[in-house]
Short mmCIF file of all heavy atoms in Angstrom, two decimals:
data_model
loop_
_atom_site.label_atom_id
_atom_site.label_comp_id
_atom_site.label_asym_id
_atom_site.label_seq_id
_atom_site.Cartn_x
_atom_site.Cartn_y
_atom_site.Cartn_z
N VAL V 195 10.66 -5.29 -0.32
CA VAL V 195 11.18 -6.37 -1.16
C VAL V 195 12.58 -6.03 -1.66
O VAL V 195 13.51 -6.82 -1.55
CB VAL V 195 10.25 -6.63 -2.36
CG1 VAL V 195 10.91 -7.60 -3.35
CG2 VAL V 195 8.91 -7.20 -1.90
N LEU V 196 12.73 -4.83 -2.19
CA LEU V 196 14.01 -4.42 -2.77
C LEU V 196 15.09 -4.23 -1.71
O LEU V 196 16.28 -4.30 -2.02
CB LEU V 196 13.82 -3.13 -3.57
CG LEU V 196 12.93 -3.28 -4.82
CD1 LEU V 196 12.59 -1.91 -5.41
CD2 LEU V 196 13.62 -4.15 -5.87
N GLU V 197 14.68 -3.98 -0.47
CA GLU V 197 15.63 -3.82 0.63
C GLU V 197 15.84 -5.13 1.40
O GLU V 197 16.48 -5.13 2.46
CB GLU V 197 15.14 -2.74 1.60
CG GLU V 197 15.14 -1.34 1.01
CD GLU V 197 16.54 -0.82 0.73
OE1 GLU V 197 17.45 -1.10 1.55
OE2 GLU V 197 16.72 -0.15 -0.31
N ASN V 198 15.29 -6.21 0.87
CA ASN V 198 15.41 -7.53 1.51
C ASN V 198 14.87 -7.53 2.93
O ASN V 198 15.47 -8.13 3.84
CB ASN V 198 16.88 -8.00 1.49
CG ASN V 198 17.41 -8.24 0.09
OD1 ASN V 198 16.73 -8.83 -0.75
ND2 ASN V 198 18.61 -7.74 -0.18
N ARG V 199 13.72 -6.88 3.14
CA ARG V 199 13.08 -6.81 4.44
C ARG V 199 11.83 -7.69 4.52
O ARG V 199 11.01 -7.52 5.42
CB ARG V 199 12.71 -5.37 4.79
CG ARG V 199 13.88 -4.40 4.93
CD ARG V 199 14.79 -4.76 6.08
NE ARG V 199 14.13 -4.71 7.37
CZ ARG V 199 14.19 -3.66 8.21
NH1 ARG V 199 14.90 -2.60 7.87
NH2 ARG V 199 13.57 -3.69 9.37
N ILE V 200 11.69 -8.63 3.58
CA ILE V 200 10.54 -9.52 3.57
C ILE V 200 11.02 -10.92 3.97
O ILE V 200 12.01 -11.40 3.44
CB ILE V 200 9.88 -9.57 2.17
CG1 ILE V 200 9.34 -8.19 1.78
CG2 ILE V 200 8.76 -10.60 2.13
CD1 ILE V 200 8.23 -7.66 2.65
N PRO V 201 10.34 -11.60 4.90
CA PRO V 201 9.13 -11.18 5.60
C PRO V 201 9.41 -10.07 6.61
O PRO V 201 10.43 -10.09 7.29
CB PRO V 201 8.65 -12.45 6.30
CG PRO V 201 9.90 -13.26 6.50
CD PRO V 201 10.76 -12.97 5.29
N ALA V 202 8.48 -9.13 6.70
CA ALA V 202 8.67 -7.96 7.55
C ALA V 202 8.08 -8.19 8.93
O ALA V 202 7.20 -7.46 9.39
CB ALA V 202 8.04 -6.74 6.88
N ASN V 203 8.57 -9.23 9.61
CA ASN V 203 8.02 -9.61 10.92
C ASN V 203 8.29 -8.60 12.01
O ASN V 203 7.70 -8.69 13.10
CB ASN V 203 8.58 -10.96 11.34
CG ASN V 203 8.13 -12.11 10.47
OD1 ASN V 203 8.83 -13.10 10.35
ND2 ASN V 203 6.96 -12.01 9.85
N ASP V 204 9.21 -7.65 11.75
CA ASP V 204 9.59 -6.69 12.79
C ASP V 204 9.10 -5.28 12.50
O ASP V 204 9.53 -4.32 13.16
CB ASP V 204 11.11 -6.66 12.95
CG ASP V 204 11.83 -6.31 11.65
OD1 ASP V 204 11.20 -6.42 10.57
OD2 ASP V 204 13.01 -5.94 11.70
N LEU V 205 8.17 -5.13 11.54
CA LEU V 205 7.73 -3.80 11.14
C LEU V 205 6.23 -3.60 11.34
O LEU V 205 5.46 -4.55 11.47
CB LEU V 205 8.07 -3.55 9.66
CG LEU V 205 9.55 -3.61 9.28
CD1 LEU V 205 9.74 -3.29 7.81
CD2 LEU V 205 10.38 -2.67 10.14
N VAL V 206 5.84 -2.32 11.38
CA VAL V 206 4.44 -1.91 11.52
C VAL V 206 4.04 -1.15 10.26
O VAL V 206 4.77 -0.28 9.79
CB VAL V 206 4.26 -1.00 12.75
CG1 VAL V 206 2.80 -0.55 12.88
CG2 VAL V 206 4.72 -1.72 14.02
N LEU V 207 2.88 -1.50 9.72
CA LEU V 207 2.33 -0.81 8.55
C LEU V 207 1.26 0.18 9.01
O LEU V 207 0.33 -0.20 9.72
CB LEU V 207 1.74 -1.82 7.57
CG LEU V 207 1.01 -1.25 6.34
CD1 LEU V 207 1.95 -0.44 5.45
CD2 LEU V 207 0.34 -2.37 5.54
N ILE V 208 1.40 1.45 8.61
CA ILE V 208 0.43 2.49 8.94
C ILE V 208 -0.16 3.03 7.64
O ILE V 208 0.57 3.33 6.70
CB ILE V 208 1.08 3.64 9.74
CG1 ILE V 208 1.69 3.12 11.03
CG2 ILE V 208 0.06 4.74 10.03
CD1 ILE V 208 0.68 2.60 12.04
N VAL V 209 -1.50 3.17 7.60
CA VAL V 209 -2.17 3.71 6.42
C VAL V 209 -3.01 4.91 6.81
O VAL V 209 -3.53 4.99 7.92
CB VAL V 209 -3.03 2.65 5.71
CG1 VAL V 209 -2.16 1.51 5.19
CG2 VAL V 209 -4.11 2.10 6.64
N SER V 210 -3.13 5.85 5.88
CA SER V 210 -3.78 7.13 6.18
C SER V 210 -5.29 7.07 6.13
O SER V 210 -5.96 8.01 6.56
CB SER V 210 -3.28 8.20 5.20
OG SER V 210 -3.64 7.85 3.86
N GLY V 211 -5.86 5.99 5.60
CA GLY V 211 -7.31 5.90 5.47
C GLY V 211 -7.88 4.74 6.26
O GLY V 211 -7.47 4.44 7.38
N ARG V 212 -8.82 4.04 5.64
CA ARG V 212 -9.45 2.92 6.29
C ARG V 212 -8.67 1.63 6.04
O ARG V 212 -7.82 1.57 5.16
CB ARG V 212 -10.90 2.76 5.80
CG ARG V 212 -11.02 2.44 4.32
CD ARG V 212 -12.48 2.43 3.88
NE ARG V 212 -12.61 2.13 2.47
CZ ARG V 212 -12.67 0.91 1.96
NH1 ARG V 212 -12.59 -0.13 2.78
NH2 ARG V 212 -12.80 0.70 0.67
N ALA V 213 -9.00 0.61 6.82
CA ALA V 213 -8.35 -0.69 6.68
C ALA V 213 -9.34 -1.65 6.01
O ALA V 213 -10.25 -2.16 6.65
CB ALA V 213 -7.92 -1.23 8.03
N SER V 214 -9.16 -1.87 4.73
CA SER V 214 -10.02 -2.79 3.99
C SER V 214 -9.44 -4.19 4.03
O SER V 214 -8.29 -4.41 4.43
CB SER V 214 -10.13 -2.32 2.53
OG SER V 214 -8.85 -2.36 1.91
N PHE V 215 -10.23 -5.16 3.58
CA PHE V 215 -9.76 -6.54 3.46
C PHE V 215 -8.49 -6.59 2.63
O PHE V 215 -7.53 -7.29 2.95
CB PHE V 215 -10.85 -7.41 2.81
CG PHE V 215 -10.37 -8.77 2.41
CD1 PHE V 215 -10.37 -9.82 3.31
CD2 PHE V 215 -9.92 -9.02 1.12
CE1 PHE V 215 -9.93 -11.08 2.95
CE2 PHE V 215 -9.47 -10.28 0.74
CZ PHE V 215 -9.48 -11.32 1.66
N GLU V 216 -8.46 -5.82 1.54
CA GLU V 216 -7.33 -5.84 0.61
C GLU V 216 -6.04 -5.40 1.30
O GLU V 216 -4.98 -5.99 1.07
CB GLU V 216 -7.63 -4.92 -0.57
CG GLU V 216 -6.56 -4.90 -1.63
CD GLU V 216 -6.92 -3.99 -2.79
OE1 GLU V 216 -7.92 -3.25 -2.69
OE2 GLU V 216 -6.18 -4.01 -3.78
N LEU V 217 -6.10 -4.38 2.15
CA LEU V 217 -4.88 -3.90 2.80
C LEU V 217 -4.41 -4.88 3.87
O LEU V 217 -3.20 -5.09 4.04
CB LEU V 217 -5.12 -2.52 3.41
CG LEU V 217 -5.51 -1.40 2.43
CD1 LEU V 217 -5.39 -0.05 3.10
CD2 LEU V 217 -4.66 -1.45 1.17
N VAL V 218 -5.34 -5.48 4.59
CA VAL V 218 -4.95 -6.52 5.56
C VAL V 218 -4.32 -7.69 4.83
O VAL V 218 -3.32 -8.25 5.27
CB VAL V 218 -6.18 -6.97 6.38
CG1 VAL V 218 -5.81 -8.18 7.26
CG2 VAL V 218 -6.68 -5.83 7.26
N GLN V 219 -4.91 -8.06 3.68
CA GLN V 219 -4.35 -9.15 2.88
C GLN V 219 -2.91 -8.88 2.48
O GLN V 219 -2.04 -9.76 2.57
CB GLN V 219 -5.21 -9.37 1.64
CG GLN V 219 -4.58 -10.28 0.60
CD GLN V 219 -4.22 -9.52 -0.67
OE1 GLN V 219 -5.04 -8.79 -1.21
NE2 GLN V 219 -2.99 -9.69 -1.13
N LYS V 220 -2.63 -7.66 2.05
CA LYS V 220 -1.28 -7.30 1.63
C LYS V 220 -0.30 -7.38 2.81
O LYS V 220 0.84 -7.86 2.65
CB LYS V 220 -1.27 -5.90 1.02
CG LYS V 220 -1.96 -5.83 -0.35
CD LYS V 220 -1.95 -4.40 -0.89
CE LYS V 220 -2.68 -4.32 -2.23
NZ LYS V 220 -2.01 -5.08 -3.30
N ALA V 221 -0.74 -6.93 3.98
CA ALA V 221 0.11 -7.01 5.16
C ALA V 221 0.42 -8.47 5.51
O ALA V 221 1.57 -8.83 5.80
CB ALA V 221 -0.56 -6.31 6.34
N VAL V 222 -0.60 -9.30 5.47
CA VAL V 222 -0.42 -10.72 5.79
C VAL V 222 0.52 -11.38 4.79
O VAL V 222 1.41 -12.15 5.16
CB VAL V 222 -1.79 -11.44 5.81
CG1 VAL V 222 -1.60 -12.95 5.92
CG2 VAL V 222 -2.63 -10.94 6.97
N MET V 223 0.36 -11.08 3.51
CA MET V 223 1.20 -11.69 2.48
C MET V 223 2.66 -11.28 2.63
O MET V 223 3.57 -11.98 2.20
CB MET V 223 0.69 -11.31 1.09
CG MET V 223 -0.67 -11.90 0.75
SD MET V 223 -0.68 -13.71 0.60
CE MET V 223 0.21 -13.93 -0.94
N ALA V 224 2.90 -10.10 3.25
CA ALA V 224 4.27 -9.63 3.46
C ALA V 224 4.84 -10.04 4.81
O ALA V 224 5.99 -9.71 5.12
CB ALA V 224 4.31 -8.11 3.33
N GLY V 225 4.04 -10.72 5.62
CA GLY V 225 4.51 -11.14 6.93
C GLY V 225 4.55 -10.03 7.96
O GLY V 225 5.28 -10.13 8.96
N ILE V 226 3.78 -8.98 7.76
CA ILE V 226 3.75 -7.85 8.69
C ILE V 226 2.79 -8.16 9.83
O ILE V 226 1.63 -8.49 9.59
CB ILE V 226 3.32 -6.56 7.97
CG1 ILE V 226 4.37 -6.18 6.91
CG2 ILE V 226 3.11 -5.42 8.95
CD1 ILE V 226 3.95 -5.02 6.02
N PRO V 227 3.21 -8.06 11.08
CA PRO V 227 2.37 -8.47 12.20
C PRO V 227 1.41 -7.41 12.73
O PRO V 227 0.54 -7.73 13.53
CB PRO V 227 3.39 -8.83 13.28
CG PRO V 227 4.55 -7.92 12.99
CD PRO V 227 4.59 -7.77 11.50
N MET V 228 1.56 -6.15 12.30
CA MET V 228 0.71 -5.09 12.86
C MET V 228 0.35 -4.07 11.79
O MET V 228 1.21 -3.60 11.05
CB MET V 228 1.40 -4.39 14.03
CG MET V 228 0.53 -3.38 14.77
SD MET V 228 1.35 -2.65 16.23
CE MET V 228 1.62 -4.11 17.24
N LEU V 229 -0.95 -3.73 11.73
CA LEU V 229 -1.46 -2.74 10.80
C LEU V 229 -2.28 -1.72 11.57
O LEU V 229 -3.21 -2.08 12.29
CB LEU V 229 -2.32 -3.39 9.72
CG LEU V 229 -3.15 -2.47 8.82
CD1 LEU V 229 -2.26 -1.51 8.04
CD2 LEU V 229 -4.02 -3.28 7.86
N GLY V 230 -1.92 -0.45 11.42
CA GLY V 230 -2.67 0.63 12.05
C GLY V 230 -3.28 1.52 11.00
O GLY V 230 -2.61 1.90 10.04
N ALA V 231 -4.56 1.86 11.16
CA ALA V 231 -5.27 2.70 10.19
C ALA V 231 -5.87 3.90 10.89
O ALA V 231 -6.40 3.79 12.01
CB ALA V 231 -6.37 1.90 9.49
N VAL V 232 -5.80 5.03 10.22
CA VAL V 232 -6.36 6.26 10.78
C VAL V 232 -7.88 6.18 10.84
O VAL V 232 -8.50 6.76 11.72
CB VAL V 232 -5.90 7.48 9.95
CG1 VAL V 232 -6.61 8.75 10.39
CG2 VAL V 232 -4.38 7.65 10.07
N SER V 233 -8.48 5.45 9.91
CA SER V 233 -9.93 5.35 9.85
C SER V 233 -10.39 3.95 10.23
O SER V 233 -9.67 3.20 10.88
CB SER V 233 -10.41 5.74 8.45
OG SER V 233 -11.81 5.94 8.42
N ALA V 234 -11.60 3.60 9.77
CA ALA V 234 -12.26 2.37 10.22
C ALA V 234 -11.82 1.14 9.43
O ALA V 234 -11.45 1.24 8.26
CB ALA V 234 -13.77 2.53 10.11
N PRO V 235 -11.90 -0.03 10.03
CA PRO V 235 -11.70 -1.27 9.29
C PRO V 235 -13.05 -1.82 8.82
O PRO V 235 -14.11 -1.41 9.32
CB PRO V 235 -11.09 -2.20 10.34
CG PRO V 235 -11.77 -1.77 11.61
CD PRO V 235 -11.98 -0.28 11.48
N SER V 236 -13.02 -2.73 7.87
CA SER V 236 -14.24 -3.40 7.44
C SER V 236 -14.38 -4.70 8.23
O SER V 236 -13.43 -5.17 8.87
CB SER V 236 -14.19 -3.72 5.94
OG SER V 236 -13.19 -4.69 5.68
N SER V 237 -15.57 -5.29 8.18
CA SER V 237 -15.81 -6.55 8.91
C SER V 237 -14.90 -7.65 8.42
O SER V 237 -14.34 -8.42 9.22
CB SER V 237 -17.27 -6.96 8.78
OG SER V 237 -17.60 -7.20 7.40
N LEU V 238 -14.73 -7.77 7.10
CA LEU V 238 -13.89 -8.83 6.56
C LEU V 238 -12.42 -8.60 6.86
O LEU V 238 -11.66 -9.54 7.04
CB LEU V 238 -14.11 -8.95 5.05
CG LEU V 238 -13.64 -10.26 4.40
CD1 LEU V 238 -14.32 -11.46 5.05
CD2 LEU V 238 -13.91 -10.25 2.90
N ALA V 239 -12.02 -7.33 6.94
CA ALA V 239 -10.64 -7.01 7.33
C ALA V 239 -10.38 -7.50 8.75
O ALA V 239 -9.32 -8.07 9.04
CB ALA V 239 -10.39 -5.52 7.23
N ILE V 240 -11.32 -7.28 9.64
CA ILE V 240 -11.18 -7.73 11.02
C ILE V 240 -11.12 -9.25 11.08
O ILE V 240 -10.30 -9.84 11.80
CB ILE V 240 -12.34 -7.20 11.89
CG1 ILE V 240 -12.30 -5.66 11.95
CG2 ILE V 240 -12.27 -7.78 13.30
CD1 ILE V 240 -13.51 -5.05 12.61
N ASP V 241 -11.99 -9.91 10.32
CA ASP V 241 -12.01 -11.38 10.30
C ASP V 241 -10.67 -11.95 9.81
O ASP V 241 -10.15 -12.90 10.39
CB ASP V 241 -13.15 -11.88 9.41
CG ASP V 241 -14.52 -11.55 9.98
OD1 ASP V 241 -14.61 -11.22 11.17
OD2 ASP V 241 -15.51 -11.63 9.22
N LEU V 242 -10.14 -11.36 8.74
CA LEU V 242 -8.87 -11.85 8.20
C LEU V 242 -7.73 -11.60 9.18
O LEU V 242 -6.86 -12.46 9.36
CB LEU V 242 -8.57 -11.18 6.85
CG LEU V 242 -7.22 -11.55 6.22
CD1 LEU V 242 -7.11 -13.06 6.00
CD2 LEU V 242 -7.03 -10.81 4.90
N ALA V 243 -7.73 -10.42 9.82
CA ALA V 243 -6.68 -10.12 10.80
C ALA V 243 -6.72 -11.12 11.95
O ALA V 243 -5.68 -11.65 12.37
CB ALA V 243 -6.85 -8.70 11.31
N ALA V 244 -7.91 -11.39 12.46
CA ALA V 244 -8.04 -12.33 13.58
C ALA V 244 -7.61 -13.73 13.19
O ALA V 244 -6.91 -14.42 13.95
CB ALA V 244 -9.49 -12.33 14.08
N GLU V 245 -8.01 -14.18 12.01
CA GLU V 245 -7.67 -15.53 11.58
C GLU V 245 -6.20 -15.67 11.25
O GLU V 245 -5.61 -16.73 11.44
CB GLU V 245 -8.51 -15.91 10.36
CG GLU V 245 -8.27 -17.32 9.88
CD GLU V 245 -9.37 -17.86 8.99
OE1 GLU V 245 -10.54 -17.48 9.21
OE2 GLU V 245 -9.06 -18.64 8.08
N SER V 246 -5.57 -14.59 10.78
CA SER V 246 -4.16 -14.64 10.38
C SER V 246 -3.21 -14.34 11.52
O SER V 246 -1.99 -14.52 11.36
CB SER V 246 -3.92 -13.65 9.23
OG SER V 246 -4.75 -13.92 8.14
N GLY V 247 -3.72 -13.82 12.64
CA GLY V 247 -2.85 -13.48 13.76
C GLY V 247 -2.22 -12.11 13.62
O GLY V 247 -1.17 -11.84 14.22
N LEU V 248 -2.85 -11.22 12.85
CA LEU V 248 -2.34 -9.86 12.68
C LEU V 248 -2.99 -8.93 13.69
O LEU V 248 -4.20 -9.03 13.94
CB LEU V 248 -2.62 -9.37 11.25
CG LEU V 248 -2.21 -7.93 10.92
CD1 LEU V 248 -1.56 -7.86 9.55
CD2 LEU V 248 -3.43 -7.00 10.93
N THR V 249 -2.21 -8.04 14.27
CA THR V 249 -2.74 -7.01 15.16
C THR V 249 -3.31 -5.89 14.31
O THR V 249 -2.58 -5.24 13.56
CB THR V 249 -1.66 -6.46 16.09
OG1 THR V 249 -1.14 -7.52 16.88
CG2 THR V 249 -2.23 -5.38 17.00
N LEU V 250 -4.62 -5.67 14.40
CA LEU V 250 -5.30 -4.64 13.60
C LEU V 250 -5.81 -3.54 14.53
O LEU V 250 -6.57 -3.81 15.46
CB LEU V 250 -6.45 -5.24 12.81
CG LEU V 250 -7.28 -4.26 11.97
CD1 LEU V 250 -6.42 -3.57 10.92
CD2 LEU V 250 -8.45 -4.98 11.31
N VAL V 251 -5.38 -2.31 14.25
CA VAL V 251 -5.79 -1.15 15.04
C VAL V 251 -6.44 -0.15 14.10
O VAL V 251 -5.89 0.19 13.05
CB VAL V 251 -4.59 -0.51 15.75
CG1 VAL V 251 -5.03 0.71 16.56
CG2 VAL V 251 -3.88 -1.53 16.63
N GLY V 252 -7.63 0.32 14.47
CA GLY V 252 -8.34 1.32 13.67
C GLY V 252 -8.58 2.58 14.47
O GLY V 252 -8.35 2.63 15.67
N PHE V 253 -9.07 3.60 13.78
CA PHE V 253 -9.34 4.91 14.40
C PHE V 253 -8.13 5.37 15.22
O PHE V 253 -8.26 5.86 16.35
CB PHE V 253 -10.60 4.86 15.27
CG PHE V 253 -11.84 4.56 14.49
CD1 PHE V 253 -12.43 3.31 14.52
CD2 PHE V 253 -12.43 5.54 13.70
CE1 PHE V 253 -13.58 3.04 13.80
CE2 PHE V 253 -13.57 5.28 12.97
CZ PHE V 253 -14.16 4.02 13.02
N LEU V 254 -6.95 5.22 14.60
CA LEU V 254 -5.69 5.58 15.26
C LEU V 254 -5.49 7.09 15.11
O LEU V 254 -4.84 7.57 14.20
CB LEU V 254 -4.54 4.80 14.61
CG LEU V 254 -3.15 4.88 15.23
CD1 LEU V 254 -3.17 4.47 16.70
CD2 LEU V 254 -2.19 4.02 14.43
N ARG V 255 -6.10 7.83 16.05
CA ARG V 255 -6.10 9.28 15.97
C ARG V 255 -5.83 9.89 17.34
O ARG V 255 -6.49 9.55 18.32
CB ARG V 255 -7.45 9.80 15.47
CG ARG V 255 -7.92 9.19 14.17
CD ARG V 255 -9.36 9.56 13.89
NE ARG V 255 -9.89 8.92 12.70
CZ ARG V 255 -11.17 8.94 12.34
NH1 ARG V 255 -12.06 9.58 13.10
NH2 ARG V 255 -11.57 8.33 11.25
N GLY V 256 -4.87 10.79 17.38
CA GLY V 256 -4.58 11.48 18.64
C GLY V 256 -4.20 10.50 19.72
O GLY V 256 -3.26 9.72 19.58
N ASP V 257 -4.97 10.51 20.82
CA ASP V 257 -4.63 9.65 21.95
C ASP V 257 -5.62 8.51 22.14
O ASP V 257 -5.76 7.96 23.23
CB ASP V 257 -4.52 10.48 23.23
CG ASP V 257 -5.82 11.23 23.55
OD1 ASP V 257 -6.77 11.12 22.76
OD2 ASP V 257 -5.86 11.91 24.58
N THR V 258 -6.36 8.14 21.07
CA THR V 258 -7.28 7.02 21.16
C THR V 258 -7.06 6.07 19.99
O THR V 258 -6.52 6.44 18.95
CB THR V 258 -8.75 7.48 21.15
OG1 THR V 258 -9.03 8.15 19.92
CG2 THR V 258 -9.04 8.40 22.32
N MET V 259 -7.52 4.84 20.17
CA MET V 259 -7.43 3.83 19.11
C MET V 259 -8.36 2.68 19.45
O MET V 259 -8.71 2.47 20.62
CB MET V 259 -6.00 3.31 18.98
CG MET V 259 -5.47 2.59 20.20
SD MET V 259 -3.72 2.10 20.04
CE MET V 259 -2.90 3.69 20.13
N ASN V 260 -8.79 1.93 18.46
CA ASN V 260 -9.57 0.72 18.64
C ASN V 260 -8.71 -0.48 18.23
O ASN V 260 -8.21 -0.53 17.10
CB ASN V 260 -10.83 0.72 17.78
CG ASN V 260 -11.87 1.70 18.27
OD1 ASN V 260 -11.66 2.44 19.22
ND2 ASN V 260 -13.02 1.72 17.59
N ILE V 261 -8.56 -1.45 19.12
CA ILE V 261 -7.78 -2.65 18.83
C ILE V 261 -8.75 -3.78 18.52
O ILE V 261 -9.58 -4.14 19.36
CB ILE V 261 -6.88 -3.03 20.03
CG1 ILE V 261 -6.02 -1.83 20.46
CG2 ILE V 261 -6.00 -4.23 19.67
CD1 ILE V 261 -5.27 -2.06 21.76
N TYR V 262 -8.65 -4.35 17.33
CA TYR V 262 -9.61 -5.34 16.88
C TYR V 262 -9.11 -6.77 16.96
O TYR V 262 -9.91 -7.71 16.94
CB TYR V 262 -10.03 -5.04 15.44
CG TYR V 262 -10.80 -3.74 15.32
CD1 TYR V 262 -10.14 -2.55 15.02
CD2 TYR V 262 -12.18 -3.70 15.52
CE1 TYR V 262 -10.84 -1.36 14.91
CE2 TYR V 262 -12.88 -2.51 15.41
CZ TYR V 262 -12.20 -1.34 15.11
OH TYR V 262 -12.89 -0.15 15.01
#
Side-chain angles (χ1 to χ4, degrees):
V195 171
L196 294 170
E197 292 293 322
N198 295 316
R199 297 296 298 262
I200 297 296
N203 293 152
D204 58 342
L205 300 182
V206 178
L207 175 62
I208 301 294
V209 296
S210 62
R212 64 185 180 86
S214 63
F215 169 86
E216 182 179 9
L217 299 193
V218 173
Q219 168 248 310
K220 290 179 182 295
V222 171
M223 293 294 288
I226 296 173
M228 186 176 299
L229 168 61
V232 172
S233 192
S236 68
S237 62
L238 197 57
I240 297 172
D241 293 344
L242 177 57
E245 183 162 327
S246 302
L248 177 138
T249 300
L250 178 61
V251 179
F253 297 104
L254 187 56
R255 306 169 184 171
D257 58 359
T258 62
M259 63 184 71
N260 289 3
I261 307 171
Y262 294 93

